[in-house]
Amino acid sequence: MSEISPVAFYLFAGMALAFSVLTVLKKNPVASAFSLVIVFFSFAGIYALLGAHLVATMQILVYAGAIMVLFVFVVMLLNSDSPSFDFRRSPLIFRFAAGLVCFAMFVLFVKVFRETGPSPSVGPFTSAAVEAAGGNTRVISELMFSEYILPFELTSILLLAGIVGSVALAKRHGSAEKASSKKGVSSVSSR
Amino acid sequence: METLLSLLSQIWASHAVLIITAIKAVLVAVTLLQVVPLMVWLERRGSAVMQKRLGPNRIGPLGLFQGIADGVKALFKEDNPPAHVFKFYYRLAPVVSLIPAYMTFAVIPFASSIAIGEHTISFQVADLNVGFLYIFAIASLGVYGIIMAGWSSNNKYSLLGSLRSSAQMISYELSLGLSVVGLLMIFSSVRLGDIVRQQGELLVQLGPLSIPKWGIFIQPLGFLIFLVSAYAETNRLPFDLPEGESEIVAGYHLEYGSMHFALFMMAEYINMTVAAALTATLFFGGWQMLPGLPALQALLTQNLGLVGTLADLLRVLFELGSFVAKTAFFLWLFVWVRWTLPRFRYDQLMDLGWRVMLPLSLANIFVTGILIYYKVL
């Protein structure tokens, strides 16, 4: 493994942690979404440090687009500043349960990270090997279209099912609206 | 003095690559900054030429210093945010839209590499093996600045403008990404350096006319889709619906003034520059010399008796000149189109994106695949 600059790692990891906390704590949903963008951006930074440039780029490309859609929904649909759940008013038992789960999670993390078993064996894809085979992008695409072609194609079928499902939902919604009223209600357009 | 020199040489010895990269980064950033006032001037003078007016012609020769005057004015204007905005995000938004614009230029090569001493200097800030995917990824972050501005302005026109821009970005990012897949299939690399190098090869020889393997000749449809999508991505006319001053006043930057507004303008012009440079790099051979220049370069090298590094420097100069000329042409095309075409209606914009551009780019990939299978390309 190539060595990772500890300064850069702690910078990105710290940013990811801090903004994850902010995502949960911010009262304003739009502010939460902005924090989430920075979390994903920091993850991309860590991937880039590990030498996985393609994964880092895809992280930004895909999540930036995905959160953009989230944004639009937040701005358009959830236009309220009231939090959906006020923990100070919740029953005592919930508060107790939440505390217990947090503690259990913490213990679990400590246990996992203190476990220092035999160091994992180095696979065939070391940084040097990947660089020799023509870089990240080439190695991943070649693997994806040879060894992992079946999972890759199955994923596309999954996505197709999702598209067909959303179109079917939108169609039913649109026709129901048309049938139910002629008041000139603007039909819900969907992509 | 001596210790200082030895210290400097020590630093140079241990961090040469870092220092060279830093110098390149600063040079590129400063050059990009100079493009902005120049483009503002070009846009105003260009529009004046097309509308039979004079345009700004008072400050400096041909009005060239107008950009400086505008910048000074923006800097010294009172910064007075309206009372109803979310201050933090309102202030952050212009910066968020400017930084990605700067970051994207990092992977664009502007000349071939040169050997000075023991170091090979490539004229590209970062040669990432994800190449132009990096540009698409970072450019997609720029829209967050617009969204942030629209939302934090707390104004219905601004919000409408930013919602329009997010819908437009998502729609045209698809065809933008798909339009270069054909190119990717032919050159089988996403590295911009590799793509430019391969574009130097000969495609066909028509008598005395030798046609190079430039992207425009092997992917004409891909070029068209790329150009249109790039205009939509940079929010330029005929796709400047996020601004749409006739319907939503000025869209996302309605509530902005002074330097905040100027930062949005800078982001727009730098995005344009990156789009123009990327068009030149992907489809017009990047730093490959314009026709006629290789002969001139050979002549000059011979007559001046240049050898070694000096000859290489001359070559780099010619390549840089070619790259700048191509980029400048596409920048001018932005202005040209802006003052020629009217703005699209919103439904027309979405129709064009989803019903024309997307199927066309998919068809382009399919046809390219067939051509590669039958070894035509």
Side-chain angles (χ1 to χ4, degrees), chain A residues 33-94:
Chain A
F34 280 131
S35 309
L36 198 60
V37 175
I38 301 181
V39 173
F40 286 127
F41 190 77
S42 321
F43 282 175
I46 293 176
Y47 295 145
L49 281 179
L50 288 167
H53 293 121
L54 184 66
V55 182
T57 314
M58 286 300 152
Q59 169 90 10
I60 295 177
L61 203 58
V62 172
Y63 281 102
I67 300 177
M68 184 55 61
V69 177
L70 183 73
F71 251 121
V72 176
F73 278 106
V74 163
V75 171
M76 287 171 70
L77 304 178
L78 296 172
N79 200 9
S80 69
D81 290 335
S82 58
S84 56
F85 180 75
D86 189 358
F87 76 98
R88 264 161 297 181
R89 286 199 192 162
S90 59
L92 199 65
I93 179 91
F94 280 165

Side-chain angles (χ1 to χ4, degrees), chain B residues 334-346:
Chain B
F334 270 109
V335 175
W336 194 357
V337 167
R338 172 168 181 177
W339 299 101
T340 308
L341 295 179
R343 182 181 300 131
F344 274 89
R345 220 169 52 214
Y346 196 69

